[in-house]
Amino acid sequence: MPVRLIPRLPAVALGLAAATLLAACAPRPQRPHEVVVAPALIPAPARLVAGDGGFDLDAATPLYADGLAGQQAAHRFAALAAASNGLRLAAPRAGGPTPGAIAFVRDPAVSSEAPEGYALEIAPSGIVVRAADARGLFHGATTLWQLVAQAQGEAMTLPVLRIEDAPRFGWRGLMLDSARHFQSVDEIKRVLDAMAMHKLNVFHWHLTDDQGWRIEIKRYPRLTEIGGCRIPAGDGGIDPATGAPVPYCGYYTQDQIREIVAYAAALHIEVVPEINGPGHAQAAVSAYPELGVLDTPVPVLAEWGVNRTLFNVEESTFTFLENVLAEVVDLFPGRYVHVGGDEAVKDQWQASPRVQQRMRELGVRDEAQLQSHFIGRMERYLSTHGRRLIGWDEILEGGLPPEATVMSWRGIEGGIAAAALGHDVVMSPVSDLYLDYLQTDAPGEPPGRPSMVTLEQVYTFEPVPAALPAAQRHHILGVQANMWTEHTRSFARLQHHLFPRMAALAETAWSPVEARDYADFLARLPVQLRRYRALDIAYAQTPFQALATIDGDRRDGSARVTLRNPLGYPIHYTLNGRVPHAGSPRYTAPLDLRLPVQLRAAAFAADGTPLAPATTHAVDATSLLTRRNAELAVCPDVGRLLLRLEDDGPLTGERAIFNVTIFHPCWLWPAADLGDIDRLTVRAGRMPYAFQLAHDEPQRTFLPARSAHGELQVQGEGCAGPVLATVPLPAAPDADGFVSLDVPLDTAALASRRATDLCLRFTGDTRPTMWVVDAVTLQPR
Ligand code: ACM
């Protein structure tokens, strides 16, 4: 990018013309202020040309606005500047560019070929934001605010520059799952605020699923009365004092939805509601059993995964869905309605004589075509009401009306196939854009899916596949990141998952290919963190921490410590217990240290500020005897589904977190030194086995149990090696949800006790619960 660093000029060192203009203004009081040197904008603008000198901005700087769109942009800029910098600007006056002022001006000449575009000019004599429409002015105001928020305090010098900017894609989306866990209206607004700050413009709102129906439908009140509540699995759903069920409930009233839609509209964000079918329908079926395939009633689901409940295909069910869509269309004025269509395993349709009879009546060949019929009915209703249907890529199966738009989630292949068939496409692949996947391998990550979607993956994802013929590329409307919330119970954790990956998404969605540069993005990111802090956005700390891998030998008293920062920022450390600073030793290679080790480390931005609080790594001969869950490895060949799960209790307060491979729970302590060890203490927790695996269920395996409640089995030399211990489990854990097991080891069969891979598993089919390893401690003789 042609960004030139701007020299630190005193604010008065301006050109002659500027000086003349400024002379016309009232003299300003001299105050200390920060000079914004290199613009660090996210998303990177399409074109930025830096000049010399700067514009002095403080509370006395007047705002001028042209028309309603200019007023709105000026108000937004002022509100953001007040929130981030405490800068109190006077209300905008009507008018255009004025010496010493900031003006927001409508100019049809800007971005006639690039919707949402704007131009921002900062000159010593004043600032002008120009755009053809309200959206462009809004984005220009956001960019200008980003420069203000790059500085701290109420007075600053902004660099002379010219930006010409417009988005690469018209669909810059975020999906939020409000069904699995519910966010308050205020929390949704904060997500929308953050989206606008990142120039995202589509909020895909996942409002219905097996585990909850979250949108009030006046005609069908049981959808929210019944479908809006579930009894969480395990202790999280029981009052320990009374034993009474404790439901997890929540829904948005229609008034609240209107409020959110209006709030989003003011931020130029379109809300796309999702009403999912024919699968992910259990909450609706629990409320109105006549919508389902089976005769037996079902509860609102309290398990995660792929569930078999489908809507039936009676005409009365289509009438129900159309009545729901009628209210949805009334509430959401945007172009698109999302109808889901994902993960509808067809077992119930296949097994139901009634559904099979309906298939014959409808003249459809198979269940895939029946799903196509189902989606087709939704499409017909929506198109006759002036809306466009969008759905997950499974809607392609069995045929799809050409007007339908496809959201490609299982990869990019669905998107490529859809574009070839002439459908519009939003790219949203699980491999790169699912934000419930963890962003680092730090032990401090919250619950989620531990296969990673790193910041770099979000950043480098290319929405227009090279394989797509040029003539089909216009079908790629844009990109979207998806935030599923099975494992995200709190707003703090939601923010952890969203930020800073939303910044990477912003650039993938907005910036032209030529302006995308991951190293440059990382250099700009610390400034974005400053903006996050100024607006109370609780971004993830883990990508900015110094993580340690400690390979210690407690018997010879040595330890090799490897430090890394997930994003590659430089690390400085201390060994004396002090907080490291940029002048502390810089980490360049693994450290060979003597025990005990007291190491503190932090990653630093280029200007020497720490990116996150220092991490502390204290290791001695005793601490090396214990490995907690997050420090244990995953056993090889235990199936693909590793989850980081939160314990089910206690009902209130902190809960433990466990890494569990749910197809075959198994934990490994690689190269454990058993030289002087005859027994272990294993602390085990118990949690609900709350998963529906549908067609993957047969892959779930259990070791045979030998006693009533199964055993903890410990093996050496890996999971195929000699059995060192088999310890019976109790019927239930202690009141705190854990048991501590004394595990005598029979190590006679080990070839060597010095470095053996300890494998820990529980036997028996323990469903509906499962035991998990919380910690393993070696007990020396
Ligand atoms: C999806 O992740 N099931 C769309």
Side-chain angles (χ1 to χ4, degrees):
M1 255 198 320
V3 178
R4 200 143 42 95
L5 289 194
I6 295 161
R8 276 178 186 273
L9 291 180
V12 290
L14 303 169
L16 184 60
T20 313
L21 275 170
L22 280 178
C25 308
R28 302 263 188 90
Q30 290 292 311
R31 302 199 232 166
H33 61 264
E34 193 169 338
V35 181
V36 174
V37 179
L41 300 168
I42 291 179
R47 193 174 135 77
L48 185 157
V49 182
D52 294 325
F55 175 84
D56 249 4
L57 186 126
D58 62 24
T61 305
L63 301 181
Y64 285 87
D66 171 19
L68 181 61
Q71 289 277 340
Q72 287 168 342
H75 277 294
R76 167 164 173 83
F77 170 70
L80 283 172
S84 62
N85 292 58
L87 174 59
R88 311 263 159 223
L89 295 160
R93 303 173 211 168
T98 305
I102 302 171
F104 297 86
V105 179
R106 275 183 70 144
D107 181 349
V110 177
S111 67
S112 52
E113 285 170 23
E116 304 186 65
Y118 68 92
L120 164 63
E121 183 144 24
I122 302 179
S125 52
I127 296 178
V128 187
V129 179
R130 295 176 200 275
D133 63 12
R135 289 184 303 171
L137 284 172
F138 182 85
H139 295 315
T142 303
T143 300
L144 180 58
W145 164 76
Q146 284 207 0
L147 292 169
V148 167
Q150 191 166 337
Q152 266 157 350
E154 301 158 44
M156 70 229 35
T157 300
L158 298 186
V160 163
L161 54 72
R162 180 170 174 79
I163 288 172
E164 283 154 19
D165 199 10
R168 181 176 175 205
F169 294 109
W171 187 299
R172 304 181 300 279
L174 174 75
M175 186 224 68
L176 178 62
D177 173 5
S178 295
R180 274 56 175 273
H181 283 103
F182 180 78
Q183 304 83 27
S184 70
V185 170
D186 185 54
E187 288 164 354
I188 299 279
K189 287 181 179 174
R190 287 172 62 188
V191 170
L192 292 167
D193 284 335
M195 287 178 65
M197 167 187 170
H198 291 85
K199 300 193 172 87
L200 301 180
N201 69 342
V202 179
F203 178 58
H204 169 177
W205 200 5
H206 186 78
L207 285 164
T208 74
D209 215 303
D210 296 312
Q211 296 85 358
W213 183 285
R214 308 273 175 235
I215 169 174
E216 179 188 26
I217 300 295
K218 301 272 190 201
R219 192 169 176 140
Y220 302 112
R222 288 167 59 88
L223 283 172
T224 42
E225 283 167 18
I226 305 290
C229 290
R230 66 170 177 266
I231 309 296
D235 295 343
I238 303 167
D239 183 331
T242 63
V246 180
Y248 179 91
C249 301
Y251 71 91
Y252 305 97
T253 66
Q254 294 204 348
D255 282 347
Q256 288 173 327
I257 287 172
R258 285 200 180 86
E259 184 185 331
I260 285 169
V261 168
Y263 192 90
L267 299 170
H268 298 278
I269 294 171
E270 180 174 330
V271 185
V272 176
E274 180 181 346
I275 306 295
N276 205 338
H280 291 283
Q282 188 156 316
V285 173
S286 79
Y288 293 99
E290 62 272 26
L291 301 171
V293 179
L294 307 182
D295 292 332
T296 44
V298 287
V300 179
L301 195 68
E303 298 174 311
W304 314 122
V306 178
N307 174 45
R308 290 181 164 86
T309 298
L310 299 182
F311 284 122
N312 65 37
V313 284
E314 301 299 327
E315 193 53 35
S316 55
T317 295
F318 287 117
T319 303
F320 162 86
L321 289 164
E322 288 171 0
N323 288 337
V324 168
L325 288 181
E327 295 191 32
V328 167
V329 161
D330 192 43
L331 286 168
F332 294 92
R335 286 160 298 168
Y336 290 91
V337 174
H338 200 297
V339 298
D342 59 320
E343 298 179 320
V345 288
K346 307 294 188 302
D347 303 12
Q348 289 192 349
W349 282 356
Q350 276 160 359
S352 161
R354 175 64 194 152
V355 171
Q356 295 296 315
Q357 181 192 337
R358 283 288 291 153
M359 282 168 58
R360 286 189 291 279
E361 287 165 15
L362 294 166
V364 305
R365 197 176 50 239
D366 57 20
E367 290 75 21
Q369 224 185 39
L370 185 59
Q371 163 139 337
S372 163
H373 173 81
F374 184 103
I375 299 295
R377 285 291 300 258
M378 302 298 100
E379 202 282 330
R380 202 179 336 146
Y381 182 87
L382 290 172
S383 59
T384 55
H385 291 78
R387 301 309 164 90
R388 298 198 65 166
L389 176 144
I390 181 165
W392 301 112
D393 56 50
E394 289 95 328
I395 65 173
L396 275 172
E397 293 161 13
L400 186 64
E403 304 76 23
T405 300
V406 172
M407 191 167 268
S408 188
W409 77 274
R410 291 177 294 177
I412 57 170
E413 295 72 20
I416 294 173
L421 292 168
H423 298 286
D424 284 346
V425 170
V426 174
M427 285 295 190
S428 193
V430 59
S431 51
D432 296 284
L433 295 177
Y434 267 38
L435 303 185
D436 53 330
Y437 284 62
L438 302 187
Q439 55 198 302
T440 75
D441 58 356
E445 287 290 342
R449 303 205 215 182
S451 29
M452 282 198 285
V453 167
T454 63
L455 189 73
E456 184 170 7
Q457 278 172 279
V458 178
Y459 192 90
T460 53
F461 174 69
E462 173 46 51
V464 182
L468 201 64
Q472 292 166 12
R473 293 193 175 162
H474 68 280
H475 282 304
I476 307 293
L477 300 183
V479 281
Q480 178 172 296
N482 295 332
M483 181 59 227
W484 300 103
T485 59
E486 287 95 328
H487 311 295
T488 305
R489 218 161 43 96
S490 71
F491 191 57
R493 287 180 181 166
L494 178 66
Q495 292 181 82
H496 178 108
H497 287 300
L498 293 180
F499 309 104
R501 286 183 291 186
M502 191 185 278
L505 174 69
E507 207 140 313
T508 301
W510 178 283
S511 304
V513 174
E514 316 80 70
R516 276 166 70 197
D517 175 337
Y518 183 58
D520 185 61
F521 172 76
L522 288 183
R524 284 177 278 130
L525 191 57
V527 171
Q528 187 77 348
L529 302 186
R530 188 192 268 205
R531 297 183 188 113
Y532 289 164
R533 290 193 294 274
L535 295 184
D536 283 334
I537 291 175
Y539 59 92
Q541 297 291 315
T542 45
F544 305 104
Q545 287 173 342
L547 308 180
T549 307
I550 296 162
D551 190 6
D553 186 329
R554 65 193 157 79
R555 291 199 291 152
D556 80 4
S558 69
R560 170 164 275 219
V561 181
T562 310
L563 294 176
R564 82 205 131 85
N565 169 260
L567 301 180
Y569 288 104
I571 293 173
H572 296 263
Y573 67 94
T574 64
L575 293 167
N576 58 6
R578 298 247 174 90
V579 175
H581 52 80
S584 305
R586 170 135 180 210
Y587 175 82
T588 53
L591 305 169
D592 288 312
L593 304 171
R594 300 299 307 164
L595 296 178
V597 167
Q598 166 75 284
L599 181 139
R600 303 194 75 183
F604 288 81
D607 68 357
T609 52
L611 289 162
T615 49
T616 301
H617 310 276
V619 191
D620 59 24
T622 307
S623 68
L624 286 173
L625 291 167
T626 295
R627 291 233 173 147
R628 302 196 53 83
N629 176 286
E631 296 158 343
L632 295 167
V634 172
C635 302
D637 307 323
V638 287
R640 60 193 167 79
L641 209 52
L642 172 64
L643 295 177
R644 179 164 300 188
L645 294 170
E646 191 183 49
D647 209 349
D648 54 327
L651 195 58
T652 54
E654 286 285 303
R655 296 178 179 179
I657 296 171
F658 308 104
N659 287 336
V660 192
T661 42
I662 65 164
F663 280 78
H664 192 178
C666 181
W667 296 265
L668 198 71
W669 181 332
D673 177 3
L674 300 185
D676 55 345
I677 303 296
D678 282 335
R679 48 201 326 120
L680 311 176
T681 305
V682 175
R683 184 172 140 96
R686 201 167 71 167
M687 57 190 315
Y689 179 84
F691 308 100
Q692 292 277 340
L693 301 176
H695 293 175
D696 287 331
E697 189 66 53
Q699 294 176 36
R700 159 87 199 188
T701 55
F702 303 96
L703 292 180
R706 295 196 210 151
S707 55
H709 308 298
E711 300 87 22
L712 168 70
Q713 179 170 304
V714 180
Q715 283 161 277
E717 298 171 8
C719 301
V723 175
L724 309 184
T726 305
V727 176
L729 292 160
D734 300 338
D736 67 352
F738 291 88
V739 290
S740 206
L741 300 166
D742 176 38
V743 185
L745 298 180
D746 173 4
T747 52
L750 287 178
S752 161
R753 293 160 59 116
R754 214 22 226 200
T756 192
D757 294 344
L758 276 185
C759 170
L760 290 93
R761 289 180 283 186
F762 300 97
T763 66
D765 180 350
T766 57
R767 290 175 293 180
T769 62
M770 66 179 161
W771 290 100
V772 290
V773 171
D774 181 55
V776 183
T777 301
L778 311 180
Q779 301 292 355
R781 279 196 285 274

